[in-house]
Amino acid sequence: MILIKRAKVYAPQYLGVKDVLVGADRIEAVENQIDCNLPCCEVIDAEGKCLVPGMIDPHVHVTGGGGEGSFHTQVPPVSFQELIGGGVTTVVGLLGTDGITRSVENLLAKVKALREEGLTAYACTGSYGYPSVTLTGDVKKDLVFLDEVIGVKLALSDHRAPNVTVEELIRLGSDARVAGMLSGKCGMVVLHMGDDERGLNPVFEALERTAIPKKIFHPTHVTRTESLLKQAFAFANRGGYIDMTCDIGGKHPTAQRILQAKKEGVNLEQITLSSDGMGSWSKYDESGNLVKIGYSPVDTVYRTVVSMVRDANLPLEQALTFATSNTARALELFPKKGCICPKADADLLLLEEDLTLNTVLAMGKVMMRNGKIVVKGTYE
């Protein structure tokens, strides 16, 4: 057991100074004062520190992304330490452009490895392409029979996209919806959004023509263009979830986009953050030739939360929602994930007063202590 004493608890809403008792992999109690005299109970003095839910990153290329500049540009797989160092305790792995040299089998193997090493990890079947690459040969069967699979990936309005018809988008959304219902999962369709002027128009048309719930479609990279962001804000206000990819020093920092959404009256509960970690970013000239390529780190969700507080003056309890409770609800994992309350999974971060990451607990196990990672991946 672990007893965290005198922490300023953000659940993510601020609860005040509390004691939090962790038993095995769950939170047992959150009280003003808890005494535990058992010899097996570790006590962590958290006075002056903030206790917050672990970060949930719904978009990480855990087997590596990239490859668009030929084989030597393939990004390596994510490491366990990289995720822990970014305060990530729950991750959704997926494929990107490359559904040829990388496979759903590789993806699931990596997700299973991360689970064995102590993180909560899920996967989306599919990649950019259509028909979707799968393990069983059917998106519905992957969702129903593979415990780790909670959704499917597709690229839309992008020069690398398969240019699906609205009918094909409807079919994929319907398949994901039914399979999600049958397996008790969110059954989401993660839509990699490009900068094509069509933007979310195919999604709007699919929703107008069918009874597919808006929550099924999860567009990501929605800050790519101003027109796409405007569409995304409209989608959020209609009840859909939108995902902002955390930048690594772009012209319009993600924190400023959150402020823009707040100013324009967007339903902030429908916005999530992701890192696109280990996924490549690329720049092309007017002829479509690749001129520059790199990849995104996996600590940008945590860094963006800190930026929202330090630079955009958002309250910590509000900044946290975009990386915890909102994401948990979008993935239909709340209140098991994304909050601090009895019976929730013990995924917890202790932050210093300046929001520096001090301690990470994943499923009740201390992974980082006093800023140093104490549990590493098998070959790290």
Side-chain angles (χ1 to χ4, degrees):
M1 302 184 78
I2 298 175
L3 177 58
I4 302 171
K5 296 287 290 184
R6 297 179 290 275
K8 293 183 286 187
V9 176
Y10 290 82
Q13 70 275 18
Y14 184 54
L15 301 183
V17 176
K18 301 285 183 180
D19 292 353
V20 176
L21 181 64
V22 172
D25 57 358
R26 301 292 173 88
I27 296 171
E28 296 294 338
V30 180
E31 303 288 349
N32 290 332
Q33 182 173 339
I34 300 174
D35 294 317
C36 183
N37 298 317
L38 297 175
C40 61
C41 184
E42 175 188 354
V43 178
I44 297 176
D45 183 2
E47 187 169 7
K49 297 180 176 63
C50 300
L51 185 68
V52 308
M55 303 287 113
I56 304 173
D57 195 333
H59 194 119
V60 176
H61 297 272
V62 294
T63 56
E68 297 159 38
S70 196
F71 298 104
H72 70 283
T73 63
Q74 290 190 339
V75 182
V78 71
S79 72
F80 181 79
Q81 288 188 76
E82 287 174 307
L83 292 167
I84 292 299
V88 178
T89 56
T90 299
V91 62
V92 179
L94 31 65
L95 300 177
T97 314
D98 185 4
I100 301 172
T101 70
R102 294 181 175 92
S103 67
V104 177
E105 288 88 342
N106 300 146
L107 176 63
L108 283 171
K110 180 63 175 178
V111 166
K112 288 177 181 290
L114 291 172
R115 286 188 170 197
E116 290 177 356
E117 290 173 332
L119 290 180
T120 301
Y122 299 98
C124 285
T125 194
S127 62
Y128 276 22
Y130 185 87
S132 305
V133 292
T134 64
L135 189 146
T136 65
D138 186 293
V139 167
K140 299 188 296 296
K141 289 183 178 179
D142 276 17
L143 267 161
V144 171
F145 293 115
L146 303 176
D147 290 344
E148 298 87 354
V149 174
I150 61 173
V152 59
K153 172 83 172 286
L154 177 71
L156 199 67
S157 300
D158 189 283
H159 66 97
R160 298 158 292 182
N163 296 305
V164 296
T165 65
V166 174
E167 285 73 19
E168 289 169 330
L169 181 61
I170 289 172
R171 175 51 50 208
L172 188 62
S174 297
D175 287 349
R177 167 62 171 168
V178 172
M181 293 172 66
L182 293 175
S183 57
K185 302 171 183 176
C186 62
M188 62 182 175
V189 179
V190 175
L191 295 170
H192 161 100
M193 300 304 302
D195 55 11
D196 187 294
E197 62 183 11
R198 292 171 297 173
L200 285 170
N201 286 336
V203 176
F204 291 141
E205 184 176 344
L207 292 173
E208 288 171 0
R209 291 171 48 183
T210 69
I212 298 173
K214 299 176 185 67
K215 68 175 184 176
I216 295 301
F217 296 111
H218 289 231
T220 188
H221 315 320
V222 299
T223 61
R224 192 180 294 274
T225 68
E226 289 293 339
S227 59
L228 176 60
L229 185 62
K230 184 177 180 179
Q231 288 182 319
F233 285 171
F235 185 59
N237 282 335
R238 291 170 58 177
Y241 285 102
I242 61 173
D243 184 63
M244 294 187 180
T245 306
C246 299
D247 54 49
I248 51 174
K251 183 178 180 181
H252 300 288
T254 309
Q256 296 304 314
R257 295 304 199 184
I258 295 291
L259 287 181
Q260 180 182 346
K262 186 176 182 179
K263 182 178 179 180
E264 295 183 17
V266 178
N267 185 353
L268 299 183
E269 293 183 355
Q270 302 302 117
I271 300 176
T272 65
L273 296 176
S274 67
S275 67
D276 195 19
M278 314 310 288
S280 65
W281 53 261
S282 49
K283 295 183 180 180
Y284 299 84
D285 62 22
E286 293 180 357
S287 299
N289 299 310
L290 180 67
V291 295
K292 192 173 183 180
I293 193 168
Y295 73 90
S296 302
V298 293
D299 65 348
T300 54
V301 173
Y302 160 71
R303 284 162 49 190
T304 297
V305 169
V306 173
S307 176
M308 282 191 278
V309 177
R310 290 180 179 172
D311 305 325
N313 296 316
L314 280 176
L316 178 59
E317 60 184 327
Q318 184 173 49
L320 285 168
T321 61
F322 305 107
T324 59
S325 56
N326 287 6
T327 315
R329 288 189 173 94
L331 302 179
E332 298 187 4
L333 299 175
F334 191 87
K336 180 180 180 182
K337 299 288 186 183
C339 65
I340 298 177
C341 67
K343 298 184 180 180
D345 287 348
D347 296 333
L348 302 166
L349 309 180
L350 264 180
L351 308 179
E352 301 285 0
E353 288 189 21
D354 65 357
L355 303 185
T356 301
L357 190 57
N358 176 282
T359 300
V360 177
L361 276 75
M363 296 299 289
K365 185 174 182 179
V366 177
M367 302 293 184
M368 175 191 285
R369 191 191 304 273
N370 297 323
K372 295 183 178 180
I373 296 174
V374 294
V375 176
K376 300 180 181 180
T378 305
Y379 294 108
E380 296 173 8

